[in-house]
Amino acid sequence: MSRLRIETPDQAQLTVERLYKDLERHIIASPPGLCPVDLQLSFLKVCHAQTCGKCVPCRVGLAQLQNLMEDVLAGKADMHTLDLIESTAQNVANSADCAIGFEAAKMVLAGLEGFREDYINHIKKGKCSVNVHHSIPCVALCPAQVDIPGYIALVGAGRYADAVKLIRKDNPFPTACGLICEHPCEARCRRSMIDAPINIRGLKRMAVDNAPSNTVPLPEKQPATNKRIAIIGGGPSGMSAAYYLELMGHHAVVFEEKSKLGGMLRYGIPAYRFPRERLQEDLDAILSTGVEVHRNTRIGNEEGDIPFEKLREEFDAVYIAIGAHTDKKIGIEGENSHGVISAVEMLRNIGEEKMPDFKDKTVVVIGGGNVAMDCTRSSIRLGAKKVIIAYRRRQDDMTALPEEIEGAIAEGAELYGLKAPHHIEADAEGNVAALWAEPQIIGPIDAWGRARPIHADVELERIPCDVIVVAIGQGIELRPFEEAGIKIKRGTISALSSSELANNEGVFAGGDCVTGPATVIRAIAAGKVAAANIDEYLGYNHTISCDVVIPDPSIDDKRPCGRIQMHETEAGERKNNFEPIECGMTKQEACQEAGRCLRCDKFGFSTLKGGRTLKW
């Protein structure tokens, strides 16, 4: 008789595992706009099902919390119910024998604090305080609210110029976003419930590769209003605002400090990711609307500058969109040594085609974001014999896109994780000799699930190097605006969500100078918002229209189908130059990928003869 037997999963266990996988995909694809109380109740039920049921706090307490929250949603609760939910959750958190019960109760307490108004609204008005509807996740998560399902359908139909027209209604930089957007729209794509999100950026690139932005006709400009708007900054936010204002009939005058337009698109993104001729496609299209540009022009109080007050006097409105073009210091000993440069300075020089000499040098890049990866991969292309990324957290905690990190490592970069900069060693002549790093260990997990590094009780580590690139963030030069009475808060301009500045009538601000360093698409969205609100401030209500007929959804089989990834040239070939590394999709691939879209927009927009008329 056997004492033991080999355990193998039975059919029930395998089915449960498959259901867990399905549940994970549904959570990943959870769209914005859901009732937070209802969503929290669903998570609580999952946690309750996972408990062992041996201790009373989990078995009884979590069940009682479910009943109380169901009363809230059913309109059967009163304000006393909220106190009862809070006390019950606190008791469960204090007495549960396992982390499952503790974490479930803590989740309820966090929800009570974070969206208490939603609970109160359910109790007093019998409905959710948010606009509860199953919105289109990709559109909701796009800062510029681009009609993504619409242009995906157009790309699938091979109507590339129409796709560019539709994109450009909300985003005048379709080429830039087709090549370098961080695609937040993919984060909640409902296709994730089946397999993987749609490659939205890849399909946008397909459109602009086959219908360059500067070859697609622009919307007709509306009659001139004789209003003039000064725009400070020729980056993505400023040029987006200028584009829409010109289409509305106002005259946009851009003041750009540098010799070329584009802002961080030109001076912060290397050519291997975004060739300058592709940037020019978007800029040419924008400039063709009649935007007036003054390059090599600085707004300030120094000799040769144009005072901010003069702009306010001579223009009907002013939009500040200066971006984040200054560096940030680490604040460690030796950072003024020769050979320590900022990421901003390095990428700006590359953008101006003043290539740094890194040949046969060892370069250490400090940081873990996309800018740090740009500096790392550029250093390799500049001939460095060794490139090291020093980051105080783990690779999993890096804020750079995973494909950027993987690309840097594939090209030969070495990642030194859990290494916090301590001080920089210089030789007798003041040149960088080494970075001394303080080893870290993983500490407590923060509220966002990110492990916080803490000091490891070991000796400092010496990393010999010739160049140190500091890529820990960017700052904003705001002194001229502060002197002009603009309110500054925590290093950024204090602006309302409408881009208006309180107590500064006719002055608007947006982009990185308001949010801090952010993504290109967020800067573009800020320019779009500013243009609409400047138009309203001037007494108008112009609309930007795009009458493009969208193909009807096809009734194809939506079974799991592999996501089409963008191809890159081999690491051994691409790392020796600044030529573009990413290849677009083929027409066959684009058609297949577009066909994966579930067309969540089918009932989301008003239709017109099989298509839609979009306005804002």
Side-chain angles (χ1 to χ4, degrees):
M1 187 171 181
S2 301
R3 294 176 57 194
L4 296 174
R5 63 193 180 99
I6 297 173
E7 295 289 344
T8 57
D10 58 22
Q11 188 62 35
Q13 286 176 290
L14 293 173
T15 302
V16 168
E17 288 299 321
R18 189 168 68 250
L19 290 173
Y20 268 124
K21 289 293 183 183
D22 290 342
L23 179 61
E24 287 175 13
R25 289 199 296 268
H26 277 264
I27 292 173
I28 290 170
S30 176
L34 298 180
C35 171
V37 180
D38 194 14
L39 192 63
Q40 189 178 38
L41 175 59
S42 299
F43 286 142
L44 180 62
K45 288 179 178 178
V46 171
C47 293
H48 190 204
Q50 290 178 323
T51 63
C52 66
K54 292 181 179 179
C55 71
V56 172
C58 287
R59 186 177 68 251
V60 178
L62 294 184
Q64 182 61 20
L65 282 174
Q66 287 180 41
N67 294 333
L68 293 170
M69 291 174 70
E70 285 172 348
D71 286 346
V72 171
L73 290 172
K76 300 177 181 178
D78 54 29
M79 293 303 294
H80 174 67
T81 307
L82 288 187
D83 297 331
L84 192 56
I85 291 174
E86 186 170 11
S87 61
T88 303
Q90 193 62 63
N91 287 335
V92 173
N94 292 339
S95 57
D97 289 341
C98 71
I100 295 176
F102 170 81
E103 291 294 336
K106 282 294 185 182
M107 180 189 66
V108 173
L109 291 171
L112 275 176
E113 179 182 354
F115 36 84
R116 192 177 190 86
E117 290 183 4
D118 296 286
Y119 278 94
I120 294 173
N121 215 68
H122 275 290
I123 292 170
K124 293 187 174 181
K125 299 181 180 179
K127 63 179 182 179
C128 189
S129 62
V130 299
N131 182 21
V132 183
H133 65 284
H134 290 283
S135 59
I136 303 168
C138 55
V139 177
L141 290 173
C142 173
Q145 300 285 286
V146 176
D147 180 7
I148 293 168
Y151 78 71
I152 286 177
L154 290 165
V155 170
R159 294 166 53 192
Y160 306 116
D162 281 345
V164 172
K165 286 180 184 178
L166 188 59
I167 296 166
R168 206 161 50 191
K169 187 193 78 72
D170 297 290
N171 174 4
F173 283 92
T175 311
C177 289
L179 272 70
I180 51 89
C181 185
E182 292 190 331
H183 46 79
C185 49
E186 295 183 17
R188 292 286 185 268
C189 175
R190 285 200 179 102
R191 183 71 200 200
S192 301
M193 291 188 284
I194 300 175
D195 38 49
I198 306 298
N199 189 340
I200 296 172
R201 183 177 71 82
L203 291 171
K204 186 190 283 105
R205 170 160 186 174
M206 185 67 183
V208 296
D209 282 352
N210 288 275
S213 181
N214 55 352
T215 67
V216 176
L218 297 172
E220 185 177 348
K221 289 180 62 172
Q222 302 191 38
T225 63
N226 296 319
K227 300 292 185 180
R228 300 171 73 242
I229 296 89
I231 297 176
I232 306 173
S237 188
M239 295 306 291
S240 295
Y243 172 77
Y244 291 118
L245 289 166
E246 283 286 344
L247 291 182
M248 292 173 183
H250 311 306
H251 185 47
V253 183
V254 175
F255 297 89
E256 169 56 44
E257 180 181 13
K258 296 182 173 60
S259 60
K260 295 181 180 180
L261 297 171
M264 293 304 282
L265 287 173
R266 182 181 299 277
Y267 297 106
I269 300 175
Y272 67 83
R273 286 184 58 206
F274 190 23
R276 298 300 174 255
E277 61 271 19
R278 300 307 304 271
L279 168 61
Q280 201 59 44
E281 292 173 13
D282 285 340
L283 292 174
D284 286 345
I286 293 170
L287 292 173
S288 69
T289 62
V291 177
E292 181 181 335
V293 178
H294 296 272
R295 297 172 178 82
N296 298 309
T297 304
R298 178 180 168 83
I299 307 303
N301 300 313
E302 303 293 331
E303 185 178 352
D305 293 352
I306 297 177
F308 181 72
E309 291 80 1
K310 185 177 180 181
L311 296 184
R312 296 188 65 178
E313 293 171 3
E314 296 183 356
F315 290 85
D316 296 291
V318 178
Y319 179 49
I320 306 170
I322 57 173
H325 292 269
T326 62
D327 54 14
K328 280 191 175 181
K329 302 293 185 183
I330 314 177
I332 60 175
E333 178 187 344
E335 68 178 323
N336 293 321
S337 303
H338 181 68
V340 178
I341 63 174
S342 71
V344 172
E345 178 188 356
M346 175 183 171
L347 294 175
R348 182 172 60 238
N349 287 336
I350 293 173
E352 293 174 344
E353 299 184 355
K354 301 174 183 175
M355 300 299 183
D357 181 14
F358 287 174
K359 188 172 178 57
D360 297 329
K361 294 181 180 179
T362 298
V363 179
V364 172
V365 178
I366 300 173
N370 285 320
V371 172
M373 296 307 104
D374 286 342
C375 292
T376 299
R377 302 177 77 174
S378 294
S379 297
I380 293 169
R381 286 161 174 77
L382 291 168
K385 69 178 179 181
K386 185 176 184 180
V387 181
I388 298 166
I389 305 164
Y391 186 55
R392 67 192 186 96
R393 297 178 185 265
R394 303 167 300 179
Q395 179 176 340
D396 290 345
D397 301 317
M398 296 175 81
T399 57
L401 292 171
E403 56 263 34
E404 288 295 316
I405 302 169
E406 293 164 6
I409 293 172
E411 291 169 4
E414 297 181 22
L415 176 58
Y416 290 11
L418 295 172
K419 300 289 186 292
H422 184 271
H423 69 275
I424 294 170
E425 175 189 335
D427 60 20
E429 298 177 351
N431 298 315
V432 168
L435 171 70
W436 285 84
E438 185 178 50
Q440 307 287 292
I441 60 172
I442 292 302
I445 305 295
D446 63 22
W448 298 101
R450 206 164 178 233
R452 182 168 61 87
I454 58 177
H455 169 65
D457 191 18
V458 295
E459 294 182 355
L460 299 179
E461 293 185 15
R462 184 178 186 272
I463 306 174
C465 57
D466 307 294
V467 176
I468 294 176
V469 181
V470 180
I472 59 169
Q474 299 118 257
I476 307 159
E477 178 51 62
L478 294 171
R479 183 172 54 84
F481 302 100
E482 191 171 18
E483 292 173 353
I486 301 297
K487 184 179 179 182
I488 309 299
K489 186 177 181 180
R490 297 190 183 95
T492 59
I493 294 175
S494 182
L496 304 175
S497 59
S498 61
S499 299
E500 295 176 89
L501 303 191
N503 304 319
N504 287 273
E505 186 178 352
V507 180
F508 298 74
D512 289 358
C513 66
V514 172
T515 62
T519 60
V520 171
I521 189 61
R522 287 188 66 186
I524 292 167
K528 171 187 166 182
V529 168
N533 291 321
I534 289 172
D535 181 65
E536 183 173 289
Y537 165 76
L538 295 174
Y540 298 89
N541 186 26
H542 290 106
T543 60
I544 305 295
S545 300
C546 177
D547 296 333
V548 175
V549 177
I550 310 296
D552 290 328
S554 60
I555 310 176
D556 291 334
D557 188 357
K558 299 301 180 184
R559 289 178 299 179
C561 179
R563 169 185 163 109
I564 300 294
Q565 298 286 14
M566 303 286 274
H567 309 295
E568 290 188 350
T569 54
E570 292 298 326
E573 299 175 12
R574 68 186 188 228
K575 68 179 184 179
N576 297 316
N577 55 64
F578 281 86
E579 292 299 313
I581 64 174
E582 188 179 67
C583 308
M585 296 180 184
T586 64
K587 292 187 178 182
Q588 179 185 10
E589 289 173 328
C591 187
Q592 177 179 318
E593 187 65 14
R596 295 178 63 238
C597 179
L598 299 179
R599 293 301 301 273
C600 305
D601 63 317
K602 184 176 180 181
F603 303 106
F605 292 85
S606 60
T607 59
L608 178 66
K609 294 182 180 178
R612 69 197 78 183
T613 299
L614 297 167
K615 296 182 177 181
W616 55 264

